[in-house]
């Protein structure tokens, strides 16, 4: 069966520091991959999605970037964190194809001090 | 621009069926209906999805009306672990983005 791993589960970072969150998927090949953010008291917002290695699409302008160095690895990064980057970051995957559901990881709770 | 309308909250008794309604009166022909749930501090969990026909899996059943303007998620035998926020989402088949609204807070009581 397919599994998705995100780490770390929680992270506290100072303003201006760099960020790297990693997500890996097991048990499937050529998945679509996604990064979402859930700010406190708000719904999920799609940040990036990827349909293949090196292919990244950004949904909203922001202080973050994403990369997909391997088929089942998706990385969310920032060079300098802002206070507004705090939130709950979720990685998800889906099988390619029409209407396929997305499956989420357990998320990383990021606090910026 | 909310595409779905759900009740804010509902209670149900442990062991009974839980029926969660969702209105999506402006749904288009290429839009699927998805149901997810989120337990506090965890990522959303996929439950079920459908286009036109009713669907059933090991977790739940999805009943979609013939005009597709509403649907009902049925948890056949609710347990305390089913307490969560349940989201009904409508998404076009050619769109990658899932838009989560406020959902329905379901509390299962012993």
């Amino acid at each position: 069966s397919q599994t998705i791993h995100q780490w770390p589960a929680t992270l506290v970072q100072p303003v201006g520091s760099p960020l790297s969150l990693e997500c890996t998927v097991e048990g499937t090949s050529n998945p679509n991959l996604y990064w979402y953010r859930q700010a406190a008291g708000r719904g999920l917002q799609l940040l990036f999605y990827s349909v293949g290695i090196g292919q990244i699409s950004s949904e909203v302008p922001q202080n973050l970037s994403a990369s997909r160095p391997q088929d089942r690895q998706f990385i969310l990064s920032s060079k300098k964190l802002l206070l507004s980057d705090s939130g709950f970051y979720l990685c998800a995957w889906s099988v390619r194809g029409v209407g396929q559901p997305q499956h989420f990881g357990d998320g990383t709770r990021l606090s910026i001090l | 621009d909310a595409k779905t309308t759900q009740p804010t909250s509902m209670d149900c008794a442990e062991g009974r069926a839980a029926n969660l309604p969702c209105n999506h009166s402006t749904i288009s022909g290429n839009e699927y209906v998805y149901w997810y749930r989120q337990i506090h501090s965890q990522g959303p969990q996929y439950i079920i999805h459908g286009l036109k026909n009713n669907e059933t899996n090991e977790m739940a059943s999805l009943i979609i009306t013939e005009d597709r303007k509403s649907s009902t998620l049925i948890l056949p035998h609710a347990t305390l672990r089913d307490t969560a926020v349940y989201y009904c989402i409508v998404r076009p088949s050619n769109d990658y983005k899932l838009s989560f609204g406020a959902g329905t807070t379901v509390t299962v009581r012993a």
Side-chain angles (χ1 to χ4, degrees), chain A residues 9-103:
Chain A
T10 59
L11 188 60
V12 180
Q13 292 284 100
V15 170
S17 63
L19 174 73
S20 180
L21 300 181
E22 188 163 344
C23 170
T24 58
V25 181
E26 296 177 358
T28 187
S29 296
N30 304 314
N32 289 338
L33 297 172
Y34 312 83
W35 278 111
Y36 284 82
R37 176 172 59 201
Q38 187 173 34
R42 304 184 67 178
L44 270 70
Q45 179 185 40
L46 179 63
L47 302 176
F48 302 95
Y49 66 89
S50 171
V51 298
I53 296 174
Q55 300 180 61
I56 309 294
S57 296
S58 175
E59 282 291 298
V60 293
Q62 59 204 296
N63 183 41
L64 302 167
S65 61
S67 61
R68 185 171 177 174
Q70 300 180 46
D71 181 46
R72 289 169 289 178
Q73 184 185 30
F74 206 22
I75 297 172
L76 184 69
S77 304
S78 173
K79 292 182 179 177
K80 282 188 177 182
L81 286 168
L82 306 173
L83 283 174
S84 58
D85 291 323
S86 292
F88 189 38
Y89 288 83
L90 290 150
C91 181
W93 71 273
S94 71
V95 172
R96 294 186 189 179
V98 173
Q100 292 294 325
Q102 295 173 22
H103 304 274

